[in-house]
Structures are given as C-alpha cells and as structure tokens.
Amino acid sequence: MSHKPNINWLRATVRWPRRASASYRNCGSARRGARRFSTLLTNPITVWSLGGSVLAPLFQGGRLTAQADAAGAQRDQAAFAYRRVALGAFRDVEDGLAAVHRLDEQVASGERQRAALAEGLRLATNRYREGYSPYLEQLDAQRGLLGAQLALIQTRSDALAARVQLYQAMGGGWSGVVTDRDGPE
C-alpha cells in the first residue's frame, strides 16, 4: 500500500510539523547557551549588542510557543488523517479479498451446476434418441444448461473485476489514465 499516492502525501504531511516543533525545542538550548556565554564577555559594547539579541527571543517566547502548539496540532491532524486513510485502505483491501473469495466459491458452485445440467442434457438427448421422451425435455435441458453457462460467465467476469479492484486497492500500478492506444482500433 506504500504505492498509493494519497498515503504517500499524508506521510509527507505528517513529517513536516515535526520539523517545525523540533526547531522550537532547539531555541531553548540556544538561550541556555547564551546565558553561559555572556559571562565570558568583558567588553561592555559587546555585552549591549549581545543583550539585545538575547532578549529578542525572550519577548517572542509567547509567539514561539503558539507556533510550536500550532505545529503540534497540525502534526496531530495530519496523523489522524493518515490513520483514517490507512484504515480505509486496509478496509478496501479486506473487502476486495472477501469479494474474491466469495466469487471464487460462486464460480466453483456454478461449474458444478453446469456439469450437472450438462449430464442432464446428455441423458435427455439419449432418452429422446431412444424414443422414451419428447423433444421438449431435451429443449428444457438445453435451456437450463445455457442459462447456467451464462450465469457462470457472468460470475467469472465479476471475479476478474474483483481481482482488478483488489489490485487497485493494494496500490498496484493503477494509473487511471486512458491513452490513445487503449481505445478501440
């Protein structure tokens, strides 16, 4: 499922706010380092210029905290969106697997039914040839067999479509773009 574009986009979205909140956490270590460094300076002009640059982040502390909180909220929102999309993708895959399994069982049942009706047609044809039954019985057997064959073909088609949907749900190379070569020739 790592090939699905919506999941890749959400992964990138979840990673971005972490960097923003990490840069805010590093500001605190810069302030502590500035306090230690100020004891090393003895020149008064350097102390005044350093004082302005040290005090500037202190006056912006509320704004930096709000930005860190906003980045955390964005990260949480992106994480919840990622979880929702991932759970939806897992649901789509599980639904696809269940549909494939169910349709495979229906195909097997349809093949058994077709085989039984083919045997019934064979017996009805033999009885008609020998003169034991009317031609209508053979026609009814043929009609039943053809109906079962049509139903089996439709079920096989549905099973193939379910496999394509499962492949798409798993993110397997589905572009959805129709090219000129895909059209009728």
Side-chain angles (χ1 to χ4, degrees):
M1 291 194 334
S2 63
H3 300 294
K4 294 186 83 163
N6 55 352
I7 290 179
N8 288 334
W9 178 79
L10 281 171
R11 283 183 183 160
T13 306
V14 170
R15 286 187 194 127
W16 177 79
R18 287 185 188 156
R19 286 188 229 125
S21 61
S23 65
Y24 172 72
R25 285 193 299 266
N26 292 337
C27 290
S29 64
R31 277 188 255 147
R32 286 190 300 269
R35 277 188 242 135
R36 281 188 237 124
F37 185 72
S38 66
T39 59
L40 299 175
L41 298 174
T42 56
N43 188 355
I45 294 173
T46 307
V47 170
W48 280 105
S49 65
L50 180 65
S53 64
V54 168
L55 292 178
L58 293 178
F59 293 120
Q60 295 179 5
R63 183 170 56 117
L64 293 175
T65 303
Q67 287 175 348
D69 292 343
Q74 286 176 345
R75 184 196 65 231
D76 292 344
Q77 182 180 11
F80 289 134
Y82 176 77
R83 182 172 187 246
R84 185 183 70 243
V85 168
L87 288 175
F90 283 125
R91 184 194 65 233
D92 291 343
V93 169
E94 185 158 344
D95 290 347
L97 286 170
V100 166
H101 180 69
R102 180 181 47 85
L103 287 167
D104 284 345
E105 288 176 349
Q106 287 180 1
V107 166
S109 174
E111 287 174 348
R112 287 190 303 270
Q113 181 182 14
R114 184 191 53 79
L117 289 172
E119 178 64 20
L121 176 61
R122 187 185 68 78
L123 293 174
T125 303
N126 288 342
R127 280 194 305 270
Y128 173 71
R129 284 188 195 147
E130 297 299 322
Y132 293 119
S133 65
Y135 186 65
L136 186 59
E137 186 178 321
Q138 183 181 1
L139 288 176
D140 284 340
Q142 283 179 346
R143 185 175 42 87
L145 178 61
L146 290 175
Q149 287 175 339
L150 287 175
L152 180 60
I153 289 169
Q154 182 62 47
T155 306
R156 284 181 180 162
S157 173
D158 293 345
L160 291 174
R163 281 178 172 72
V164 169
Q165 288 175 351
L166 174 63
Y167 186 69
Q168 183 181 5
M170 291 183 352
W174 186 268
S175 68
V177 177
V178 177
T179 62
D180 292 338
R181 294 183 301 155
D182 294 340
E185 295 184 33

